[in-house]
Amino acid sequence: SLYLGCALDYDRYDYGIKQLDMWHVLPIAKLSYGGTWGRVGFNYSYKVQKPSIGYLDPRPRHIDYQKATIGNPNLRASTTHSYTLGYSKRFVGGHSISLFLSYSTYANLVTPLYTSSDFISRYFNAGERQVFSPRLSYQGQILDKIYINVYGGVNYEAYSLYDRYKVLSRGKEQ
């Protein structure tokens, strides 16, 4: 089977001193094929996480009497490309096994950084992340009344800052 989809996402932000329009095309694709040997599938999706008004508004927002954050009207939405390859098989007697390999890339991660003051931070698209997640599961029935579901996996995550932010630490070069 094949499934293809696409959505168009639009948001307008208006925080008093500026209006900002954000458009995003969000594709998704799923392909699967099965037989007596099992079922194999591949999924792809593209997602966005748009910054909130507080992240965009350049006016200071005080957290307490010593700390404040300043939004950044130039922020871009964080984006995610996700890929998943899967295999599943059902056996006679109610047993089944599944294996999934997932890989995702995240770009334009938003984080607050201290750039010129120890008390005021500002939001930036400062880095990216990669995640690899293999998963394995088994389901089965034993002794006609006991159902077992065993699931396991690991996550490998790697973060990296964009070059222009690698030297910042409270506004001082490292």
Side-chain angles (χ1 to χ4, degrees), residues 111-131:
T111 189
L113 296 173
Y114 293 93
T115 57
S116 61
S117 166
D118 286 342
F119 305 107
I120 299 176
S121 63
R122 185 171 183 195
Y123 293 101
F124 292 96
N125 293 110
E128 57 192 10
R129 172 174 72 152
Q130 296 178 351
V131 178

Side-chain angles (χ1 to χ4, degrees), residues 2 8 14 22 25 29 34 48 50-52 74 86 88 91 98 105 114 120 124 133 149 152 154 165 171:
L2 174 64
L8 181 62
D14 184 352
M22 287 192 176
V25 177
V48 296
K50 293 170 279 207
S52 70
N74 297 319
S88 61
F91 300 96
S98 299
T105 60
Y114 293 93
I120 299 176
F124 292 96
S133 305
N149 186 7
V154 295
Y165 300 106

